[in-house]
Amino acid sequence: MKSKLLRSFLFPATSVLLMLTPFAIVFLVYSMVFCGSESAVAIASYVIAAYTLTVWCIKIPSLIRFFKCFSKSNKYLNMWKSDPRLRIKLTLYGTLLWNTAYSLLQLGLGFYHSSFWYFSMAGYYISLAAMRFYLVKYTRKNENNMLEELKKYRICGIVFLVMNLAVSLMIFFMVYWNRTFTHPPITAIAMAAYTFTAFTMAIISIVKYRKYQSPVYSAAKSISLASACVSMLTLESTMLTAFGDGSMDAASRRIMLASTGGVVSLFIIVLAVYMIVTSSKKLKGLNNE
């Protein structure tokens, strides 16, 4: 009887865990925001959160086995794993929808508030959406023409240079007008987790997709990397506001934002020049052949 209870405690049913997880998250957030760190409610939320996390960690091996069996038997997942073109295409469609919606939101806020800050944000996301739409049009044809892919790769590099103007405006507003993002600490932590994950995945994808020797694939992943770099800049502004203890003066804040912004802007320029120069050389070689 005791062994059954212990097993049920350490290995609860998945349905129980799925119900317990959102409760533990909401309870923990509530205790962090509205209760003191040493209150009985906070201690209870810590215990429940620790228990939920521990049980999920114990179930990791069985979850891995389940997903391996599921992926082998599911034809759609097999198509996803075996077809890099399909993965790129679906990723482009998703990011295109996101960029378009977010750029329209920023544009609407720009007209509503008559703010050049929102207009610069809209210009940045519109540039990303334009490049992704340009690549989506190509991938819809399901072609593999190196000459055409190199041309599109070079055009994306040119658009990167234009997009850097919007990024420079954003940096100017952050530094000169001390424009920052104000978010609660929990939201800032969530943004940090998302930004670092997106940055890491963008780097991994660029390295991973180099083996396919496809300029279109490389262009799609370069767009994701540039987007992640700008997200790092906005994240720095958010973290300085959310976790600043007042010890840093406005001048030091401006120096930090200007330094990071300069590195991000320079990186986008270097990336754009590399794409233009590399594609131009390869196009010249193909034309000579």
Side-chain angles (χ1 to χ4, degrees), residues 36 90-92 95 179-180 190 202 204 206 223 236 243 252 255 274:
L90 293 178
T91 302
L92 280 172
T95 51
R179 183 69 185 247
T180 57
I204 293 174
I206 284 182
I223 294 171
E236 180 183 7
F243 297 101
S252 300
I255 291 173
Y274 172 80

Side-chain angles (χ1 to χ4, degrees), residues 132-149:
R132 281 173 168 142
F133 177 74
Y134 186 65
L135 296 178
V136 162
K137 285 186 65 178
Y138 174 79
T139 55
R140 284 179 59 188
K141 300 176 182 178
N142 199 27
E143 296 177 351
N144 189 17
N145 188 321
M146 181 58 67
L147 186 65
E148 291 297 321
E149 288 198 18

Side-chain angles (χ1 to χ4, degrees), residues 194-204 224-225 228-229 232:
Y194 168 79
T195 301
F196 283 110
T197 301
F199 188 79
T200 303
M201 293 303 297
I203 295 175
I204 293 174
S224 299
L225 181 59
C229 287
M232 293 287 286

Side-chain angles (χ1 to χ4, degrees), residues 187-241:
T187 305
I189 293 172
M191 290 175 61
Y194 168 79
T195 301
F196 283 110
T197 301
F199 188 79
T200 303
M201 293 303 297
I203 295 175
I204 293 174
S205 296
I206 284 182
V207 176
K208 179 181 177 181
Y209 282 90
R210 283 178 62 90
K211 64 182 180 181
Y212 296 108
Q213 299 297 317
S214 172
V216 167
Y217 293 175
S218 298
K221 297 309 174 182
S222 296
I223 294 171
S224 299
L225 181 59
S227 176
C229 287
V230 175
S231 296
M232 293 287 286
L233 176 61
T234 56
L235 174 65
E236 180 183 7
S237 175
T238 301
M239 299 297 279
L240 287 174
T241 304

